[in-house]
Amino acid sequence: GQQLNQSPQSMFIQEGEDVSMNCTSSSIFNTWLWYKQDPGEGPVLLIALYKAGELTSNGRLTAQFGITRKDSFLNISASIPSDVGIYFCAGQVGRQGAQKLVFGQGTRLTINP
Amino acid sequence: SAVISQKPSRDICQRGTSLTIQCQVDSQVTMMFWYRQQPGQSLTLIATANQGSEATYESGFVIDKFPISRPNLTFSTLTVSNMSPEDSSIYLCSVPGSRGGYTFGSGTRLTVV
């Protein structure tokens, strides 16, 4: 089945630094999604990407849908303490009405003040 | 985006018993998804629950262990049957978003003792 390889698994950075994480797969996805999960909560959608090559920003977050449709990256600029959490990439597969998500393993972000 | 209410938020259960988790959505949706998130792990799709049809289970998950009901377009339940400590996880429901992406409930944190 489809698998997403997300890296890095964890990051320890200083406040104000930029962050970059990515997901790769041997399979093609028709949509890439990036989520953030805080403790005790469900994942919250950060950015959705629908077309190969698409580059989308949401405030300090920027994500791109790889041209091959097999990869995506998420960048966070000028990190702040509330960026702490676990970030997941997810790829959508399947036709309309039978679609489903496959998740990466997650990137745990820790910020030192 | 849809608002999802998931109950209970957490529970501690004895092995051999069953727990039913409820997911209520504030709008009508055709597709609902149930995920499992084992401690420190990513999300794994258990099944897709479409109103009016039998749930579709992913590899490794069976109806006898995780029976699902989908009585209408705003509600679904997932039962974790004959529980063992290995079933200790966070269980999440999810629905497609109106503008793409998927919305998740806050999850049910299950501990089996």
Side-chain angles (χ1 to χ4, degrees):
Chain A
Q2 296 93 351
Q3 281 190 316
L4 294 182
N5 299 310
Q6 186 172 347
S7 64
Q9 290 188 345
S10 61
M11 302 183 73
F12 299 84
I13 63 169
Q14 298 293 324
E15 182 177 352
E17 289 185 11
D18 296 342
V19 172
S20 184
M21 60 192 78
N22 69 86
C23 277
T24 62
S25 176
S26 59
S27 302
I28 290 175
F29 293 91
N30 54 41
T31 298
W32 280 91
L33 306 168
W34 284 93
Y35 285 87
K36 178 176 183 276
Q37 186 176 28
D38 292 325
E41 299 294 329
V44 174
L45 182 66
L46 300 174
I47 292 181
L49 303 158
Y50 302 105
K51 295 190 300 185
E54 180 181 355
L55 181 70
T56 297
S57 294
N58 178 8
R60 293 178 297 105
L61 279 60
T62 301
Q64 183 158 31
F65 192 149
I67 206 75
T68 64
R69 296 168 61 193
K70 296 182 179 180
D71 63 297
S72 177
F73 71 75
L74 173 71
N75 289 339
I76 305 173
S77 62
S79 58
I80 59 176
S82 61
D83 291 334
V84 167
I86 304 176
Y87 293 80
F88 291 100
C89 63
Q92 179 181 280
V93 297
R95 68 186 190 283
Q96 182 70 22
Q99 69 267 30
K100 61 181 182 180
L101 288 184
V102 178
F103 278 81
Q105 303 95 325
T107 296
R108 182 180 296 273
L109 179 62
T110 302
I111 298 177
N112 298 315
Chain B
S1 295
V3 177
I4 298 175
S5 174
Q6 197 172 327
K7 295 179 181 179
S9 59
R10 59 178 60 232
D11 207 341
I12 301 173
C13 300
Q14 296 291 323
R15 66 180 68 198
T17 63
S18 298
L19 176 71
T20 296
I21 301 167
Q22 299 179 3
C23 183
Q24 178 76 52
V25 189
D26 69 344
S27 57
Q28 294 183 338
V29 291
T30 303
M31 303 181 76
M32 293 180 75
F33 304 89
W34 286 99
Y35 288 84
R36 181 178 73 183
Q37 186 175 25
Q38 294 177 301
Q41 302 298 312
S42 185
L43 286 77
T44 301
L45 182 64
I46 297 172
T48 302
N50 290 347
Q51 199 273 333
S53 62
E54 294 291 321
T56 302
Y57 288 82
E58 297 298 307
S59 176
F61 298 97
V62 296
I63 187 171
D64 290 347
K65 177 66 176 178
F66 298 101
I68 287 171
S69 79
R70 185 75 207 276
N72 57 53
L73 289 172
T74 63
F75 188 78
S76 179
T77 68
L78 171 77
T79 299
V80 186
S81 304
N82 188 24
M83 288 182 286
S84 67
E86 292 71 34
D87 294 319
S88 298
S89 294
I90 300 172
Y91 293 86
L92 301 115
C93 65
S94 174
V95 300
S98 58
R99 292 184 291 177
Y102 295 76
T103 301
F104 285 81
S106 55
T108 296
R109 184 178 296 271
L110 171 63
T111 302
V112 183
V113 296

